[in-house]
Amino acid sequence: MDNKQSALELGQKPVGQLLWQYALPAIVAMTASSLYNIIDRAMIGQMVGPEAIAGLGITFPFMNLSGAFGAAVGVGASTCISVKLGQKDYKRAEYLLGNTVTLNLIIGFLFMAVCLIFLDPILRFFGASEVTLPYAREFMTIILLGNMVTHMYFGMNAVLRAAGKPRHAMYATLFTVGCNIVLVIAFVWWLRLGIRGAALATVTSQTLALCWQMRLFSNKNELLHLKRGIYKLKADLVKNILAIGISPFLMNLCACLVVIFMNNQFVKYGGDMAVGAYSIANSVVMVLFMFVMGMNQGMQPIVGYNYGAENYDRMFRCLWLTIGASTTILFAGWTLSMLFPAHIARIFTTDQTLIEMAARGIRLNMLVFFVVGSQAVITNFFQCIGKVKMSIFLSLSRQLTLLIPMAYIFPLFWGLDGVWYSMAASDFGSFAMTIPLLWWYMRKLKAKS
């Protein structure tokens, strides 16, 4: 489909049909990615052992930190491109594509170099013990060597969605996931490469998918395509990209800091097995949250385009539909997690102690999980329309302002359970802060228009 025609449809097609058209591929892709993560962790837990699962949990902050820099470019650039397409400024949209490539290469290389030099001290700061450090080091060494590829892969997928090609973004993710699963089986099960094999599978599959993405963007018949003269960094474009990207950057950075703090709290009150339980519970949360992320990705080009075109009724209609769908999905996931937590934990390990600890953690962590959907959608909405300060405030409120103080205070009264309680309490507190802010902004925008 031609980029220009795809962009015009964002302002013309029925909003519900558009949201379904853009969100479904993203949901399919994100769900497939979640299933891969479950298979990856399950194979490591079953074939390497519970200590490896705990070691993998130590790498979560690293993955979030890498994702923070990737999101600063990918999300910022895709949002800017959506707005420019809505304004029919196609030349600037093309320069944004070129600057996205350059920024991803620069940031990806710098992140890789710095982290490889200080890898062991960073992992120890993240909560690694003498038992879990070797597993975390093996995994992250390979992941970091492929960091430039990872940043480019996620950045190009975000631009594909903004350019009106959600199905192509889905195909790239599905290919990555399918290739990943095959390679994990080959490397971990057949070749017995352990946790190192899982990392090799991830980097290899992302490299192959990136080659296909770059081939798509090399098509000169497309409105947005790679060509000479668009790669030199332009100060105003970089400023716009990073100004919008600062919100997801801080969100991922906060997630990194939170996981570091939580890992240390779990080690303090429950030992390495508690970190393994947190890794399992976190995997379950991320599987369900991937649906919301898919809805957000589907919403982003629609909201960005219609905000740029000043079609505010269509913009808010898309927001309400996304909130409703996300809340429904998380409520279904919450119900299953409350009813069958032990069954879910057995997917990852056969160790009975870890199963019992993870099952209790899943329940306590997800006590009010169904309210997270609306909070995440509204935060993303403000990011899509360039209201960076609001998006940052809402991101920080859940992860830093509320969670870390609660995770420090609650265990003083309830021990290990208090660490789990803090996550549910911060979820509800951030939800209570988000709704009034959205209401205030809606009244302000309606008065202005």
Side-chain angles (χ1 to χ4, degrees):
M1 197 190 317
D2 179 74
N3 287 147
K4 191 170 183 179
Q5 182 59 35
S6 301
L8 291 174
E9 287 182 349
L10 292 170
Q12 297 170 356
K13 268 191 177 182
V15 173
Q17 184 180 343
L18 268 177
L19 184 60
W20 181 253
Q21 175 184 329
Y22 276 77
L24 182 60
I27 290 173
V28 170
M30 300 300 285
T31 304
S33 181
S34 298
L35 292 176
Y36 158 70
N37 287 329
I38 286 183
I39 292 171
D40 192 19
R41 285 159 177 74
M43 289 198 69
I44 290 172
Q46 299 285 351
M47 301 197 66
V48 185
E51 294 85 1
I53 282 281
L56 199 61
I58 297 299
T59 68
F60 282 165
F62 241 134
M63 306 297 278
N64 286 331
L65 189 59
S66 176
F69 287 96
V73 178
V75 175
S78 62
T79 301
C80 289
I81 288 173
S82 293
V83 173
K84 291 303 176 185
L85 291 175
Q87 296 170 344
K88 300 183 175 53
D89 188 352
Y90 303 125
K91 185 176 180 180
R92 298 283 285 180
E94 201 163 52
Y95 276 110
L96 283 165
L97 170 63
N99 277 225
T100 302
V101 173
T102 305
L103 281 173
N104 273 316
L105 290 175
I106 293 172
I107 294 174
F109 175 79
L110 292 176
F111 183 87
M112 173 194 71
V114 172
C115 291
L116 282 175
I117 293 171
F118 301 104
L119 184 56
D120 275 18
I122 292 173
L123 289 173
R124 290 186 184 280
F125 177 71
F126 287 175
S129 66
E130 293 300 324
V131 175
T132 58
L133 180 62
Y135 296 106
R137 184 197 300 122
E138 270 191 273
F139 186 80
M140 283 311 306
T141 299
I142 295 171
I143 292 294
L144 287 171
L145 288 172
N147 192 64
M148 291 173 66
V149 170
T150 301
H151 279 210
M152 284 291 294
Y153 162 70
F154 284 112
M156 291 299 100
N157 239 26
V159 175
L160 276 173
R161 286 188 295 271
K165 293 186 176 293
R167 288 185 178 274
H168 290 78
M170 176 186 72
Y171 296 150
T173 305
L174 289 178
F175 171 80
T176 306
V177 170
C179 184
N180 237 324
I181 291 173
V182 172
L183 292 177
V184 163
I185 293 172
F187 293 160
V188 178
W189 187 26
W190 292 342
L191 299 180
R192 304 288 176 175
L193 294 179
I195 200 168
R196 186 170 68 255
L200 279 170
T202 298
V203 173
T204 303
S205 58
Q206 288 177 350
T207 302
L208 294 174
L210 177 61
C211 292
W212 181 71
Q213 290 171 330
M214 300 306 285
R215 184 166 176 259
L216 285 176
F217 280 111
S218 299
N219 185 356
K220 295 181 180 180
N221 294 324
E222 295 288 350
L223 180 66
L224 291 179
H225 64 272
L226 300 171
K227 63 181 182 182
R228 291 182 180 180
I230 64 173
Y231 304 105
K232 184 178 179 180
L233 295 179
K234 293 182 176 291
D236 58 330
L237 296 184
V238 172
K239 181 180 178 181
N240 288 338
I241 290 172
L242 298 182
I244 294 175
I246 191 67
S247 176
F249 171 80
L250 290 175
M251 190 183 303
N252 282 274
L253 181 62
C254 286
C256 170
L257 296 175
V258 165
V259 175
I260 293 170
F261 182 78
M262 298 300 280
N263 276 341
N264 282 282
Q265 288 295 88
F266 278 114
V267 168
K268 180 179 179 180
Y269 290 97
D272 286 335
M273 284 294 101
V275 177
Y278 178 46
S279 177
I280 292 172
N282 211 21
S283 297
V284 175
V285 166
M286 287 309 300
V287 168
L288 296 174
F289 200 69
M290 286 294 179
F291 287 95
V292 178
M293 292 176 67
M295 294 300 302
N296 276 339
Q297 288 178 5
M299 177 183 77
Q300 183 266 321
I302 304 170
V303 167
Y305 182 98
N306 285 283
Y307 179 76
E310 298 185 357
N311 294 327
Y312 298 132
D313 287 341
R314 289 174 60 82
M315 179 184 74
F316 280 119
R317 202 176 312 140
C318 182
L319 171 65
W320 296 126
L321 287 172
T322 308
I323 289 175
S326 299
T327 302
T328 302
I329 290 167
L330 290 192
F331 185 79
W334 172 83
T335 303
L336 291 174
S337 299
M338 292 296 108
L339 293 176
F340 309 108
H343 294 78
I344 295 171
R346 286 192 183 94
I347 296 173
F348 298 89
T349 181
T350 56
D351 187 274
Q352 190 58 37
T353 301
L354 184 55
I355 289 172
E356 292 174 2
M357 193 174 289
R360 181 167 180 78
I362 290 170
R363 276 185 169 161
L364 296 181
N365 183 22
M366 299 179 64
L367 281 174
V368 294
F369 189 62
F370 48 86
V371 306
V372 174
S374 57
Q375 196 272 347
V377 170
I378 295 168
T379 301
N380 185 67
F381 167 76
F382 285 124
Q383 173 188 300
C384 291
I385 61 175
K387 303 300 179 184
V388 179
K389 291 181 180 179
M390 291 185 185
S391 181
I392 291 173
F393 170 75
L394 293 175
S395 301
L396 294 179
S397 69
R398 179 170 179 254
Q399 300 186 78
L400 282 184
T401 311
L402 296 176
L403 180 55
I404 288 184
M406 290 176 177
Y408 178 78
I409 295 171
F410 286 11
L412 300 177
F413 298 94
W414 299 294
L416 180 60
D417 283 354
V419 186
W420 295 111
Y421 286 140
S422 66
M423 290 184 274
S426 66
D427 286 342
F428 186 80
S430 61
F431 166 75
M433 296 170 65
T434 301
I435 301 302
L437 188 58
L438 175 64
W439 182 257
W440 169 82
Y441 177 74
M442 288 179 61
R443 290 174 62 88
K444 179 182 176 181
L445 188 62
K446 286 180 179 179
K448 178 182 177 182
S449 60

